[in-house]
Amino acid sequence: MERILVGKHSLLNSSPRWLRAAAMGLLFAVAFAGTALGQDVPVSGTVTNAAGAPIAGVTVRVQGTDIRTNTDANGNYRITAPASATLTFAHVGSKPFTAGVGGRSRVDVTMTNVTYLEEVVVTAYTEQRRADITGAVSSANVDEAKKQTQASVLKALDVAVPGVTVQTSGSPGSRSTVRIRGISSFQNNDPLYVVDGTAVSDSYINFLNPEDIASIQVLKDASAASIYGSRASNGVVVIETIKNGPVGPPRATIRARTGVATPTKGYDDILLTSSLDYFQVLKQRYINAGQAVPTGVYGDPNNPSIPNYYYATPSSILTKDAFGRIVTVDASKYSYPNALIEPASAGTNWWKTVFGSAPVSDYNLDVRGGGEANAYAVSFNYFDQQGTAAYNDYRRGSVRVNTSFNRSKFNFGENIALSVARHYGGTGTFDDASGENGVLGKDILIQPIVSVYDVAGNFGGGKGVPGVNSSNPLKNAFDAKDNINKDNQVFGNVFAGLDITPAFSLKSRLGFNLQQNSFAGYSAITPQNNEASFSNSVFENNYQSTGWGWSNTARYLKTISKGSLDLLVGQEASAGTNRFLQGSIANLLNTGLDSRYVQDALGDPTTKNVFSFGGKNALMSFFGKAGLNYADKYVASFTLRKDGSSNLGPEHRWGTFPAVGLGWRISNESFLSNNRILSDVMLRYGWGITGNQNIPSGRIVSQFGGGRGDTFYDITGSTSSIQPGFRQASIGNPDLKWESNKSTNVGTDLSLFEGALNVVLDVYKRTTDNLLFDPRTPATAGIAAPPIVNIGKMQNKGFDFSVGHQASWWNATFNGSHYKNTILTIDGVQTFFYGPGGTRIGNPTINQLGQPIGAFFGFIADGFFRDAADVAAHATQDGAAPGRMKFRDVCCGPKGEMVPDGKIDNSDRTIIGSPHPKFTAGLDLGAHRGNWDASATIFGTYGNKIFENQMDFYVFQDFSSNVRKDLLANSWTPTNLNAKYPRLDITDSFSGAISSYYVKDGSYTRLRNMQVGYTLPSGARYLPGARVYVQGENLFTKTNYDGLDPAIPAGNNTGAAGDVRDQFLGVDVGVYPTNRIFSIGIVTSF
Amino acid sequence: MTTVSKKPLLRGAAVLILAIAFLYGCKDFLSNAAAPQGTLNQTTLANRAGVEGSLIAAYRTLDCTDQTENFGWGCAASNWVWGSVPGGDSYKGSDIGDQPNINDIEGYHWGSPLASDYLNGKWIIVYEGVVRANSTLRLLKQVLASSPSEFSSADAKAIAGEAIFLRAHYHFEAWRMWGNIPYYREDETDFRKANEDSSAVAVDLLKDLDSAIKLLPATPRNGDKGRASLWTAKAYKGRVQLYDHQYANAVTTFKAVVASNTYGLETSFDQVWTAFKSKMDGPETIFAFQASSKDGEPNAGNANWGERLNFPYSPSHFACCGFNPPSQNLVNAFRVDASGLPLSLSAPTTWNASDSDFKAGNLTPVDPRLDWTVARKFVPYKDWGLYDTTFVRDPANGGPYSPKKTIHEKASGAEATVGWQPQQQSSLHIHIYRYADLLLGLAEAEVETGDLAGALAIVNQIRARAGVTAQGCAAAADNNVAATYPQCAGDARLAVPINDPKITWAVYRINPYPSFPSQAYARAAVQTERRLELAAEGQRFFDLRRWGTVAAEINGFITGIGGGAEKNRRGFLAGAEAITARHRWYPIPAIQISLSQVAGQASLKQNAGW
């Protein structure tokens, strides 16, 4: 273990130490300066409603800071604030209120009731009052989302917004797969993110410090999103950062949080950790198969024992026992890497060897303020989360500067973020890659007899243990500890606006996104493996992308006597280029960090390989929107957008995306006025079309190419030189056109009992047509990538709702959603195609007409054969025998009809489950008493299935992996007919076929976050007004899933037409488990 | 801001907006970003280099193309998955869970989803070969039409001949797998057409081969050893005739090839399967996959990718993966009687009785080809030292032996240096068709046409060559041969006379047949000779099928023949499906039948019984 600690220690002490020191130094400096800078005065007052009754539980906050308090049962509050500060009063059900302190010591406030329809939210290009929104737009509870200790705010979006699902792993800094209202296409289903008006396609959003976020709006239907027409078919997430602070002198706020993460569950909870227990399983497998039990490792099957060594280089072996096991060795003959000696272990707990607790810290400093004509918000963030897996670490530093200036009728400014992220560690930890040889794949299932270290203290391995082809997972992690993924990003925009008249304004915004990503990796030799490799290599790559978007809008907003008119016209152009360069070389002479470069002299020059590729795309758009409001009763909006895309055929480049929205604020009708139950009722209807052109560029023409390992050939028989060859790489389609997504949404916003209960309910249907994808062509057409065509059709139907209640000292919001995804058309001929992810046992997912995308596909497992009579009575099945899996005969009759035909074959495979949840729910709870506050967030998903592919290893023991603790006790025997597992049998290669046996209920309910905070009284001697808190994340999970973690991210899978991970959902190939994090934090302003 | 009047600003803003709209509204903004990056286009290739490159790509598919596409191992040039394993020459090997698709092929459960996956890999690659050959022909036609001076007429003819030959080869591969297949020529665009009856495919194959024979030069173009010549195509024509049971025609065709003296047998058997560059592509090579290593390919993808699993496991030098190990039945087949003739002919009820590990020191006389074909315990393993059964991944599953023919010699330097497990990758060329195969084909046809003397002469010619050398000590300082066999110290010879006194691990004996007393005897002798000579070369299953003896031989192999049964040796074979009429052809991959649908009707018809 010492080795690991040393390793981790050195990791901590490596390069960004200065960054950490700087961050801490800065925080302390500012903290101490704080007391000197502040000119705070105590302020108190009473909050009452229009009827004069006190309101309890109003959040009183010093604007732009985190200094806040709540009113007590009598509506009284006390807070310390700068004499020039502005206080904000917030209470669900009341209209937000602001009041300047203006040197007063008592500020009494009267709040009026509003529903949430009075909120103003930033949607597309403009701000809108909720009551004017006819589409499905949800606001995320940003304050709650920020409580999650994550590099990206996206990871908490599922609980914060109904209708949104997020798949993510416990790997720090990893991807968030966000899906809004189901899945609309066979590939590329990430929503569009719009950050401060600049669109970005990025599934991590790690450049954005969650603490900088002011609001997140999710545009869920076409009538809301079609203004972003071209890229909006998967929904739009509109994120606005905090732009200003309170008017007056700068206010600084420090937010610091530090904690410890541990995995929520480990494989050591599931798998054997004793070598002799493992042997008993092995033994039974051979005995049941009628074969001799191997004796080479455990000796006498009736009296098994742990050998001294399971492998030693022949020259070092001194004595062997009667079973040929090595008893004594001559350790002086040991030599790395060619002469190893591997001691046996009585039981290695591989999980604990690799996984453990890891620190996480998040430091923020922001300074915000402004005057009449300017506003600014500057922030600095340092986030460092070590993975719970060894040698895995994510660090980010970011700086944001948001400024805006008004001068006469002009306003201009910029929002810019610079972020630098470093991710250390091997593959399979960062991008949710599903590689089985990663730290989280099959290797972690290595047998307990394998030792972590050999006799000389080098990493041990499975060499000499029959069948083990896993690598030592700690060695995997160690070898990759210096693999570094660097992300440098500049993201932001500059803008200028002109208010020509009070009603008519112009705005121009230039957004940019400059990214530089590089990776440097190393593969070490693995002499201690059965499948030993003595060849090392380095590879590195560099990716640069430049994207920009320029939007120009004109808005006319006129309020007339009984209503308002809101007109917007605009134009937008965006373009991007990217370039990727990769190089590798093998057999480095010196493997030290300083020698890991791709240079002829450093390794074997004949192994050097370099290549590059790139991409380009451009979009051009024109759009307009009209909003009408009559008497605050009738609302209508019309949107039209025209987009041109470089990815599509010249004749079909331009697409038109209309949308209509209608709203009726029925509560403003006279017949409902003064209704005490229905305080506010809005009915909404929206219809619209959004588009999608997100496919690889250049697919309108056929592409030709080749590769050394694909088309090149040694025609001369030289044995070492090849001649170039070419083939068609892809088939072009000049007729590529826009994929369109029609959506209809009916919703209502309800405010009941004078705002005590707020309900938002939406029901929708979304149909994607002309779906862009690359249906498979017959092999007789060759392996060239099939043309991408507009042919599929997919539908999502569902509903989402949210119910909120605000009591005097507590509040609760419940979000729920449901979607049903159905494939309506594939290519007009095919009724199915398989998903992308092959596993060792075949392909478990299928896309079939009438079924959801990525359904599980295989045999139906009907328990185990009872006896020979049962075998005889059953349809003919390969390898049928008592105790083996029995598959159901479902097909086919002579004309392909679904009737049993007496044999189990290909045609008997059928849909055996869906990875899609039937219902997902989020619950936010909050309470406060005096200076104490508490909150909790619960997330649940129900009815989704998991294909537990890891069973191939820990039940069926593929590659002699470790097995489940209860495998021996719960396997079929003639006296245990209803066992959990089939009969142990080393010759049974049949029971493990893909079947419903692997399909498990993936439902779970998880306490995502629980936080208790205490706000120091304003009169406190130290840190007055500061809030300190303790929090726990993922403390509790209720699930029936018996694998590692039911929260399974969609593994990275890419097809010729893009990201196809949605076709491989819910397949458990070894996921980085969710972290349980305990942390403490402080927020203080001055 | 008072110094700036409002009107110019307003005007400026309007101008700016209009400018933007016009600038980006114009077509070029989108068109300029539309071109694919980093690819070639059809125009770039419409010239000599394009045509030649396209042809090179058509050759490349002789082995698994592009390992990243993950077609499994069923597209190996040697056909070990389809010819050797189901033919009883070898087992799948490794451990039971590894490549479970091959378990189903080995157990004759060819209707299973996993078998279908592997069959699909083979189908995809043979038709990719066809597509590449046809693309070459189309491109050639196009270039000849647009710039006739690009090629000399000889080159133009030869290129067309090579492409048509390759097209025939790939269709032949599909034909012997599935029988009833669709046949594609360069002018066809309907990729969902129906499959032909197997007899019609034979006609198409012979037609293409006749075209190729007319077009091809007598020696490979440019002297490139990998290219087909007129004689390659002619030899192949005989092969197709033999498979189609046109024995008289086959005799004529084969004899023409023999008479041309283009090919000959290697002088010594160790030079047939070798990685020494100087000995590869010798007189015996009619057509081979020209593997290359150290060619700059970062994963050694051109270095026998299809064979890479077929090496002994750890702790051998190769470290992986233990597939395709020779069967006990095959090892027993190398036993000879007192007169040096196959024991399986003279003792048909007992030759296969031994279940024990046939290891060094067992002095039962054997055909010397055994130790060029099968790695046995404590017998020198080419020049890698002694082979040991500790190298076997799971002896219960794969038996004690390992492949040998496709193992490169250490001294050859053919081993790759890059990729996953580079020690399993080498530039050893894989024979697709060698002269001994042709000669035995001629003998087979001669037996059927009644020329027993002709057949006898060929079989004895093969046996004479087989009797020239046996595995020698190949002792080197860095291997353990001399430690076990002290007489070997300093003797680095890889191949030695079969009676060399240094050989103490085996007794080799091989003699010519004095006569073929009957057609039946001759047939048995030719078939036995073919098994021994071409053992583990991916031919066995296809040979049995051609002979019509699959059911008898394979059912015997599993349940009992010659006094031994594989189901008792390898427990998993007890669950094998009995060979019936449906095993005449492999089933067409289910997914390809599905993809052939036109208006809801599949154009490809599944083979009978599947």
Side-chain angles (χ1 to χ4, degrees), chain B residues 343-344 346-353 561-564:
Chain B
L343 194 64
S344 60
S346 50
T349 57
T350 56
W351 66 272
N352 187 27
I561 195 168

Side-chain angles (χ1 to χ4, degrees), chain B residues 285-339:
Chain B
T285 302
I286 298 176
F287 196 49
F289 172 66
Q290 307 282 313
S292 57
S293 61
K294 298 171 183 165
D295 59 7
E297 208 287 318
N299 298 303
N302 302 318
N304 274 334
W305 189 264
E307 302 304 313
R308 70 171 312 165
L309 298 184
N310 307 338
F311 288 81
Y313 206 58
S314 179
S316 76
H317 163 77
F318 307 100
C320 200
C321 296
F323 281 78
N324 197 26
S327 67
Q328 184 72 35
N329 179 298
L330 178 68
V331 170
N332 289 342
F334 280 99
R335 293 172 66 187
V336 295
D337 60 17
S339 51

Side-chain angles (χ1 to χ4, degrees), chain A residues 482 522 538 588-597:
Chain A
D482 297 310
Y522 171 64
V538 288
L588 293 187
L589 303 172
N590 177 347
T591 61
L593 210 46
D594 299 332
S595 299
R596 294 182 189 171
Y597 290 90

